[in-house]
Amino acid sequence: MPITPTDQIWMNGKMVAWDDARIHVLTHSLHYGMGVFEGIRAYDTSRGPGIFRLTEHIERLHNSAKILMMEIPYSVDELVQATKATVAASGLPGCYIRPIAYYGYGEMGLNTMPCSVDVAIACWPWGAYLGEDALTTGVRMKISSWTRHDNNTMPPAAKTTGNYVNSSLAKIEAVKAGYDEAVMLNPHGFVSECTGENIFVSRHGKLITPPLADGALEGITQSAVMTIARDQGFDVSLGQLTRSDLYIAEEMFVCGTAAEVSAVNSVDDRTIPCPGGMTKVIAEEYGKAVRGQTDRYKDWVELAS
Ligand SMILES: Cc1ncc(COP(=O)(O)O)c(C=O)c1O
């Protein structure tokens, strides 16, 4: 998806012009994939741009870094403030936000301990990741031939740049085969998630979403959806799923910051009722929550200024 430039990017404590936010070709993380990042959205609310669950995203960034033994030289609070300043400076009513921490220029080699850590935060306008009609007509999914990382191969709780080689391989394979998105199975054959979304499946009227232990990122949207689903009286839990559960699902949706709540209409050409009744209600409530329109969830929205 093409990027629309904004005026400024926050880099290591300073705002720099979009075109000046450059790095050296020998930047360490470019070579070895040891960067950590977040994807966050700000929405147009009646009180100005509201950033959805900003503090939790920055906490996850810090946790990802902790797993890599990377020391981010800014506290959670400093990065929360920097993110708000970046969004406010853009003048956009809503946007996608990309904070990234990476090992910078100066060292080469796999021991990252001597490397300096650089941090940048950019934002730009971004539409629906899986298409504007992802809720109404749904997305076509394919089970990937690529396996999600084992917990002892690449830690799924860490949102590292390197982890996304696996996701990109699966995404390209799915798109080239004419599908919209891929479902990743873990090395034990259980469903973990999609290339950039968590997955929810309804079986016997109950919603199930795979846990971190099965290779899923602990999604912030996943957690919001579970709260919304329970508040709507739906039965929802973390649980193991096989590919057969997907083929005979009563309804299915995927969710994430970029994809929001997107319905699934088929998996490997087995049709799934779409959009399902629970999917529609959850998508609608999620849409209101992110825009600060639901009192119950108002703490989830942090104003940019
Ligand atoms: C692999 C993967 N799983 C799940 C998600 C959903 O996470 P979140 O809802 O926190 O954006 C994402 C998006 O960041 C992702 O990249």
Side-chain angles (χ1 to χ4, degrees):
M1 301 178 88
I3 294 175
T4 306
T6 52
D7 286 345
Q8 290 175 308
I9 291 180
W10 187 97
M11 278 185 101
N12 293 328
K14 292 191 205 104
M15 288 293 190
V16 301
W18 180 276
D19 287 338
D20 296 334
R22 297 172 190 280
I23 56 167
H24 196 277
V25 72
L26 293 181
T27 296
H28 190 284
S29 288
L30 183 62
H31 296 252
Y32 301 121
M34 290 282 282
V36 297
F37 70 102
E38 276 300 318
I40 312 174
R41 274 193 195 263
Y43 289 87
D44 191 4
T45 80
S46 59
R47 294 182 297 150
I51 309 175
F52 190 64
R53 300 184 82 163
L54 169 61
T55 303
E56 281 168 77
H57 276 282
I58 300 296
E59 282 169 353
R60 189 171 66 184
L61 183 79
H62 263 258
N63 282 338
S64 297
K66 183 177 182 185
I67 292 171
L68 298 196
M69 302 194 88
M70 168 191 268
E71 288 194 22
I72 297 183
Y74 302 96
S75 67
V76 168
D77 189 51
E78 284 169 329
L79 292 181
V80 164
Q81 298 314 323
T83 306
K84 289 182 178 179
T86 308
V87 172
S90 76
L92 293 168
C95 56
Y96 182 78
I97 308 160
R98 170 56 54 84
I100 184 164
Y102 54 98
Y103 291 116
Y105 170 82
E107 294 280 339
M108 205 44 95
L110 296 176
N111 175 13
T112 55
M113 285 185 286
C115 299
S116 60
V117 178
D118 290 333
V119 184
I121 306 168
C123 70
W124 64 91
W126 219 21
Y129 179 66
L130 291 175
E132 294 298 336
D133 52 358
L135 183 65
T136 45
T137 53
V139 291
R140 288 184 75 213
M141 310 283 283
K142 177 192 190 306
I143 307 272
S144 186
S145 75
W146 296 98
T147 303
R148 185 47 113 208
H149 312 294
D150 178 72
N151 272 281
N152 292 320
T153 307
M154 301 276 264
K159 199 168 160 60
T160 60
T161 56
N163 272 2
Y164 284 80
V165 173
N166 181 248
S167 282
S168 281
L169 287 169
K171 182 78 180 185
I172 295 163
E173 178 188 64
V175 170
K176 274 196 156 279
Y179 296 84
D180 301 305
E181 182 48 314
V183 179
M184 313 290 303
L185 305 182
N186 68 23
H188 308 286
F190 294 109
V191 176
S192 62
E193 57 177 349
C194 302
T195 65
E197 304 86 25
N198 291 103
I199 191 163
F200 282 79
V201 173
S202 170
R203 293 275 288 123
H204 307 296
K206 296 177 180 172
L207 285 171
I208 302 164
T209 184
L212 172 64
D214 277 336
L217 182 72
E218 282 188 315
I220 290 167
T221 317
Q222 180 191 44
S223 134
V225 159
M226 289 180 84
T227 302
I228 290 170
R230 287 196 183 110
D231 288 348
Q232 292 298 318
F234 304 145
D235 189 319
V236 59
S237 57
L238 293 171
Q240 250 175 2
L241 291 167
T242 64
R243 69 192 292 166
S244 309
D245 287 308
L246 307 190
Y247 293 162
I248 56 176
E250 292 137 24
E251 61 180 283
M252 190 185 309
F253 63 88
V254 298
C255 72
T257 299
E260 301 170 297
V261 176
S262 300
V264 174
N265 63 34
S266 64
V267 178
D268 289 346
D269 304 310
R270 277 80 165 177
T271 304
I272 294 163
C274 173
M278 290 190 279
T279 306
K280 270 198 278 192
V281 171
I282 289 167
E284 192 175 321
E285 290 303 314
Y286 180 75
K288 286 192 223 158
V290 296
R291 288 170 184 80
Q293 292 165 357
T294 315
D295 272 356
R296 158 111 176 81
Y297 311 124
K298 64 178 187 320
D299 294 348
W300 286 352
V301 175
E302 297 174 50
L303 296 178
S305 51

